[in-house]
């Protein structure tokens, strides 16, 4: 078999594989229909946690759940599935991204580094900045 024919067969096979994945829903992005769906999905991985307040991003791909004791639960879509995390101020650094209603979050978790999250209102963005922002405490008392 000649090299050009072999290359054509390989390219066609790869193209057909990509098309099959796309047309069978493999390139679909999951979204959260409402805060209740976020709570249900989070409860699958963390059944003992109770969410006090839920904040959805404007694109409905991420939900932040206030769990109390300085912890925030996250439900984030990756492809057609959701990942869940519980983070504290030690696990994350957050900052205002400079855009309205938008925060930038960086996690210490090597499996998911975070990202940029835009909310429908400034109150949700500000609440997360306050909850996960750096808290100044008495380091002498902590060291003792």
């Amino acid at each position: 078999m000649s090299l050009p024919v072999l290359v054509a067969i390989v390219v066609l096979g790869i193209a057909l594989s990509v098309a099959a994945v796309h047309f069978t829903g493999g390139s679909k992005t999951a979204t959260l229909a409402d805060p209740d769906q976020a709570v249900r999905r989070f409860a699958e991985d963390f059944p003992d946690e109770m969410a006090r307040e839920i904040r959805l991003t404007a694109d409905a791909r991420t939900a932040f759940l206030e769990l109390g004791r300085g912890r925030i639960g996250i439900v984030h879509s990756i492809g057609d599935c959701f990942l869940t995390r519980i983070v504290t101020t030690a696990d994350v650094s957050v900052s205002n991204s400079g855009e309205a209603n938008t925060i930038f979050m960086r996690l210490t978790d090597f499996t998911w580094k975070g990202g940029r999250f835009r909310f429908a209102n400034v109150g949700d963005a500000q609440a997360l900045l306050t909850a996960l922002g750096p808290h100044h405490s008495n380091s002498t008392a902590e060291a003792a």
Side-chain angles (χ1 to χ4, degrees), residues 32-98:
L32 295 161
D34 55 29
D36 291 335
Q37 182 187 7
V39 170
R40 285 191 308 272
R41 178 58 191 93
F42 189 76
E44 288 178 24
D45 293 337
F46 302 99
D48 296 333
E49 298 292 338
M50 297 298 294
R52 295 179 180 176
E53 191 166 346
I54 299 96
R55 295 177 178 87
L56 286 174
T57 57
D59 62 2
R61 290 186 58 212
T62 308
F64 295 90
L65 297 79
E66 185 178 325
L67 302 175
R69 298 182 315 210
R71 299 172 314 131
I72 299 290
I74 301 173
V75 178
H76 177 71
S77 72
I78 294 184
D80 63 345
C81 299
F82 291 100
L83 69 81
T84 57
R85 298 286 185 270
I86 295 177
V87 297
T88 65
T89 57
D91 304 321
V92 66
S93 67
V94 294
S95 63
N96 196 339
S97 75

